[in-house]
Amino acid sequence: QVQLVESGGGLVQSGGSLRLSCEASGVRLENYAIGWFRQAPGKEREVVSCQSNSDGDQYYAESVKGRFTIARNDAKNTFYLQMNGLVPVDTAVYYCAAEPVGPMTYYYCSNYGKTLQGFGSWGRGTQVTVSS
């Protein structure tokens, strides 16, 4: 099972940017779907973004489209979430997730990657706090 460790969270003012990183160990990421989820206080964990394998589709929640970008560096076994234009409602614990999908699975995100059940490996989370 892949081990995932997030980093890059912190406190930022409204309008600022952060880049979250998720380093994977124990497997090669290139045939994994990757995802970012978040959980705000008192709310359920929700999907932020997902990417199927390296050539596969991407998904963004409507609330982050145009502001957040998911990216991966399979050679470094690391993937990222670049977050620009942060606003206070983005405050949450952010979790990275991964699921093996194989080299020909290009549409995993569209079909399964928008739910928690679509991912079997999770990081412990990193806090992002956006002040107004």
Side-chain angles (χ1 to χ4, degrees):
Q1 189 175 9
V2 59
Q3 305 295 319
L4 302 174
V5 179
E6 302 99 336
S7 61
L11 173 64
V12 64
Q13 289 188 333
S14 185
S17 298
L18 284 174
R19 188 177 80 156
L20 305 183
S21 298
C22 182
E23 184 174 359
S25 60
V27 296
R28 294 181 64 175
L29 263 187
E30 58 189 10
N31 291 325
Y32 276 70
I34 57 174
W36 288 96
F37 290 72
R38 67 185 181 186
Q39 188 166 17
K43 294 189 176 182
E44 294 185 351
R45 195 174 299 188
E46 62 179 6
V47 64
V48 174
S49 182
C50 170
Q51 183 181 18
S52 299
N53 63 22
S54 296
D55 298 319
D57 65 335
Q58 293 183 344
Y59 169 82
Y60 292 94
E62 285 296 324
S63 59
V64 306
K65 275 184 181 179
R67 300 189 298 126
F68 291 11
T69 303
I70 193 170
R72 62 196 297 162
N73 186 329
D74 290 338
K76 293 186 176 181
N77 249 22
T78 302
F79 57 101
Y80 309 92
L81 184 69
Q82 178 66 44
M83 305 186 293
N84 298 329
L86 285 161
V87 293
V89 295
D90 294 318
T91 295
V93 177
Y94 283 71
Y95 299 87
C96 63
E99 179 69 17
V101 295
M104 302 300 289
T105 308
Y106 301 115
Y107 302 106
Y108 186 84
C109 285
S110 297
N111 295 323
Y112 309 107
K114 292 176 277 189
T115 66
L116 277 66
Q117 292 77 15
F119 292 91
S121 297
W122 292 83
R124 293 187 175 183
T126 185
Q127 177 70 46
V128 172
T129 302
V130 185
S131 62
S132 57

